Amino acid sequence: MAKKKIYAVRKGHKTGLFETWAECQKATSGYSGAEFRGFTDREEAMAFLQMSTTANVSKDKEKEAAGIVEVPENMVIAYVDGSFEKSIGRYAFGCVILTPDGEEFRKSGSGCDPEGVKIRNVAGEMLGAMNAVQWAKEHGYPAVEIRYDYEGVEKWVTGVWRAKTPLTSKYAAHMQEAAKQIKISFCKVAAHTGNHYNEEADQLAKSALLRTDENVSI
């Protein structure tokens, strides 16, 4: 017998879990920017509810441009970006992780998996977020904020965008599963506007394209 579906509403007139589609509709109908999904697993539904979006990066653009970012206790902030080079058929990711103690960690990697090559730099964008979450988990942090410039990084995970390809579906499932163990929040930043760590993540990804002896994949 198929499992009964439950509905999780993250943004709406009311939020929470709803047992019927009619209740979900009532909670979201007419609400601009409603975010909701149907689940057959209650744990996955709860993880979806716990994900959050931060409105914007620091309001102080001068500090942001200078690389001054205040990281709250018990979490890390990770700037992620992706890159792609058609001539060599490779995608790459870059990630800068900031801790509350003022430490900075950098991760990057590249690959040439055919499915990843098809979606170009998007493969790198997703890998950046996945690696940031994995790093935070391995180092015992209970929360991570992903700061990104490509909307799919967030919207495939939260269900605002439907994951229509095998890799975007795999990415969304991976992040939703991780969210059962660590709180994941998202924050969009504008690309190429002088944001210090966003630009650094971009450069890390571009440099990683040259490492043709490795093959990271989603």
Side-chain angles (χ1 to χ4, degrees), residues 1 7 17 26 71 85 92 108 115 159 165-166 174 218:
M1 181 182 294
Y7 300 90
L17 298 181
K26 186 176 180 181
V71 183
E85 178 51 58
S108 61
E115 291 301 310
T165 69
H174 177 91
I218 295 169

Side-chain angles (χ1 to χ4, degrees), residues 50-138:
Q50 290 168 4
M51 292 181 192
S52 61
T53 299
T54 308
N56 281 305
V57 194
S58 169
K59 293 179 181 179
D60 192 329
K61 300 301 181 184
E62 290 184 3
K63 282 187 177 181
E64 196 72 28
I68 301 172
V69 177
E70 294 183 7
V71 183
E73 289 295 322
N74 298 317
M75 72 176 294
V76 295
I77 290 176
Y79 288 80
V80 304
D81 210 348
S83 190
F84 177 75
E85 178 51 58
K86 183 178 180 180
S87 65
I88 57 175
R90 298 191 70 84
Y91 53 82
F93 77 89
C95 177
V96 183
I97 300 166
L98 311 179
T99 75
D101 298 324
E103 295 179 297
E104 300 179 4
F105 297 90
R106 291 159 180 82
K107 293 179 66 67
S108 61
S110 72
C112 56
D113 178 73
E115 291 301 310
V117 170
K118 285 181 183 177
I119 56 176
R120 302 166 71 90
N121 65 297
V122 174
E125 306 277 358
M126 295 189 294
L127 280 165
M130 292 167 70
N131 275 270
V133 169
Q134 185 62 33
W135 189 96
K137 286 169 55 181
E138 289 176 352

Side-chain angles (χ1 to χ4, degrees), residues 47 133 137 173-184:
V133 169
K137 286 169 55 181
H174 177 91
M175 295 289 277
Q176 289 159 7
E177 182 66 26
K180 296 178 183 178
Q181 305 169 44
I182 183 171
K183 181 175 176 59
I184 302 173

